[in-house]
Amino acid sequence: MTDIRIDVAVIGAGPAGVAAGIGAREAGAEHVVVFERDWDLGGILQQCIHPGFGLHTFKEELTGPEYMHRWIERAHGAGVTFRTNTMVFRMEEDGSFWTMNPDEGIQHVHAGAVVLGMGCRERPLGAIRVPGSRPAGIYTAGTAQRFVNMEGYMPGNRVVVLGSGDIGLIMARRMMWEGASVEGVFEIMSWPGGLRRNIAQCLDDYGIPFHLDHTVTQVHGKDRLEGVTVAKVDANNKKPILGTERFVACDTLLLAVGLIPENELSRMAGVQIHPVTGGPVVNQCLQTTRENVFAAGNVVIVYDLVDWVSAEGYKAGKNAALFALDGLPKATRRFDVRGGDNVRLFSPQWLSDQEDATIFLRVTKPVEQRCRVTADHGLFSKTLRYARPGEMNEVHIKAEQLRMLPPDVREIIVDVEEE
């Protein structure tokens, strides 16, 4: 066992982690190391071979691997060091952590600052408590995506998709491209969980049936999946409506029922976890409640655009480097962020008056007409054509605005309401 001392350590080499490494180097940190448990860099985007990435960052449409290649090339050019096939298996409350590598064994890493960029994971079938056996043929949509796009393996030929998250929508189209019959996408909510463009391009364009207010109530099959029972649910309490059940024959069930920030290491480090987002509580510098630990990307809140993940990763890396170099400004005032009646998720959860802030938020229920996203005290107001749970919105606040607020203001409420 050996001890390693570096300026900034980044855990995870997906879009957030790679960008964090660049941000740290460009902010002045000399020894920046990104630790990745996989053999290759890029995280989930390695398997996302469909286009649609980079429209904000590069002003052109790229596949996932193309998008990550550009960031990885930039990281190598900036002097970022990568350690692949290296598992971080424990974090300490002082921000140090332990790694395991087959060539170098166990090492204890001490860094001036750490950036958490572990991403998120998919909810499995057990998380939604669907009764029935557990035969072969039930996969999360991301697992099926890796099988098809990277391993060259077809999970099945007759497919049902439960949930309408973006990966599920994309995989419904992908499975059809590979010759499978997609029997339908079933969503328990009264609105889609993914981007509207994916509904149009992945389902509407291919005639794939899409059923809102529906769920799977039973799994059938012993060794291999033989079918599922689906039923319509009450729009209010989401319980199955008796008499609406029907059997759908299939050999594959893909789950796109939500993503969970990957935060076991964050908890080990003693970082406060937000009860709604499932990610660390952060400020606009992406600093957690452990001042030497920063977090960015889907480990904080699940974004819908990878461009935002990379931008937040870069910011976290930059601020981590400034902290390690004693150059990060100290907050003189703190403003807690709260969600209004129609805001379900938001990040960051608190602001200082030392830096401009961007608050990302998702609405609780869709507003399918002109609406206004606001931050109270007159800090921000913008009119939108609509607001949907599957699509994030942004609130931009200048540091000067925060400094001008009356001394008794300690809270900022963000909301989205009909005009």
Side-chain angles (χ1 to χ4, degrees):
M1 185 189 76
T2 58
D3 281 1
I4 298 177
R5 298 190 179 276
I6 57 181
D7 294 328
V8 176
V10 181
I11 303 175
V18 172
I22 298 169
R25 280 288 294 160
E26 293 185 352
E30 291 188 8
H31 194 188
V32 178
V33 183
V34 180
F35 297 85
E36 170 56 49
R37 65 185 179 185
D38 203 348
W39 291 274
D40 298 306
L41 307 176
I44 193 67
L45 291 198
Q46 296 177 69
Q47 66 192 52
C48 298
I49 65 173
H50 53 278
F53 302 94
L55 291 170
H56 291 254
T57 305
F58 300 111
K59 310 304 179 186
E60 60 181 301
E61 193 173 44
L62 304 170
T63 65
E66 289 172 330
Y67 177 89
M68 281 310 306
H69 177 74
R70 295 195 182 187
W71 280 97
I72 292 167
E73 287 290 294
R74 181 179 168 187
H76 285 309
V80 178
T81 299
F82 290 99
R83 296 273 301 278
T84 57
N85 200 21
T86 302
M87 172 70 76
V88 178
F89 65 89
R90 180 174 177 81
M91 284 201 74
E92 306 292 350
E93 292 195 355
D94 63 0
S96 66
F97 56 88
W98 301 80
T99 68
M100 184 185 303
N101 178 287
D103 298 319
E104 297 168 331
I106 294 176
Q107 295 182 325
H108 191 191
V109 180
H110 303 265
V114 177
V115 179
L116 306 174
M118 295 88 68
C120 59
R121 66 176 185 267
E122 297 172 281
R123 293 183 188 274
L125 191 63
I128 56 175
R129 297 178 293 182
V130 175
S133 55
R134 294 295 182 262
I138 302 175
Y139 307 91
T140 62
T143 299
Q145 186 182 58
R146 185 176 181 94
F147 281 163
V148 175
N149 292 349
M150 297 187 70
E151 311 295 339
Y153 172 77
M154 264 298 272
N157 299 304
R158 197 169 184 181
V159 182
V160 165
V161 180
L162 176 59
S164 59
D166 288 310
I167 301 177
L169 301 175
I170 289 164
M171 280 308 296
R173 177 181 65 182
R174 188 76 176 93
M175 295 294 283
M176 180 165 279
W177 280 355
E178 292 297 327
S181 172
V182 181
E183 304 302 313
V185 175
F186 298 87
E187 169 58 57
I188 195 170
M189 301 303 290
S190 303
W191 49 80
L195 295 170
R196 179 60 217 175
R197 76 182 188 201
N198 285 332
I199 298 291
Q201 295 173 3
C202 300
L203 302 186
D204 297 347
D205 289 355
Y206 294 89
I208 297 174
F210 184 33
H211 306 275
L212 296 172
D213 292 314
H214 279 75
T215 192
V216 171
T217 59
Q218 184 80 29
V219 171
H220 303 278
K222 184 178 179 182
D223 297 321
R224 178 75 193 192
L225 182 67
E226 297 173 0
V228 295
T229 297
V230 299
K232 187 175 177 62
V233 300
D234 182 275
N236 294 316
N237 59 28
K238 299 305 175 185
K239 293 184 178 180
I241 300 173
L242 294 177
T244 64
E245 303 91 345
R246 64 185 177 95
F247 178 79
V248 180
C250 61
D251 61 11
T252 305
L253 174 64
L254 301 186
L255 305 172
V257 293
L259 300 169
I260 309 167
E262 187 73 75
N263 273 301
E264 282 74 12
L265 293 176
S266 308
R267 291 185 177 91
M268 289 181 188
V271 167
Q272 182 182 348
I273 302 298
H274 193 272
V276 180
T277 65
V281 171
V282 296
N283 63 10
Q284 73 262 48
C285 296
L286 287 311
Q287 190 174 29
T288 71
T289 51
R290 295 288 182 185
E291 63 175 7
N292 63 332
V293 178
F294 295 72
N298 288 349
V299 78
V300 175
I301 189 172
V302 178
Y303 293 84
D304 46 10
L305 297 179
V306 73
D307 304 75
W308 286 339
V309 171
S310 298
E312 293 291 275
Y314 183 89
K315 183 196 295 186
K318 179 197 75 172
N319 288 322
L322 292 176
F323 178 87
L325 300 170
D326 294 324
L328 187 67
K330 298 286 187 181
T332 56
R333 293 183 65 185
R334 173 181 172 129
F335 304 92
D336 291 325
V337 180
R338 297 283 182 264
D341 292 339
N342 197 32
V343 169
R344 180 171 59 97
L345 301 172
F346 57 89
S347 177
Q349 287 78 33
W350 70 276
L351 309 178
S352 75
D353 60 354
Q354 297 299 304
E355 185 171 312
D356 294 350
T358 297
I359 302 173
F360 294 92
L361 58 89
R362 291 185 187 271
V363 296
T364 303
K365 295 182 179 181
V367 183
E368 297 293 348
Q369 58 192 36
R370 281 174 63 91
C371 56
R372 185 166 293 276
V373 54
T374 59
D376 64 351
H377 308 296
L379 292 171
F380 182 85
S381 180
K382 180 174 69 174
T383 298
L384 306 173
R385 288 189 295 127
Y386 58 83
R388 296 168 179 151
E391 302 175 21
M392 273 190 157
N393 291 292
E394 301 169 88
V395 170
H396 305 286
I397 302 174
K398 295 287 187 181
E400 305 89 76
Q401 294 176 280
L402 295 171
R403 288 194 286 267
M404 291 174 61
L405 289 175
D408 60 335
V409 174
R410 304 184 188 281
E411 183 177 271
I412 295 167
I413 299 174
V414 292
D415 206 354
V416 180
E417 300 174 309
E418 294 181 8
E419 279 198 326

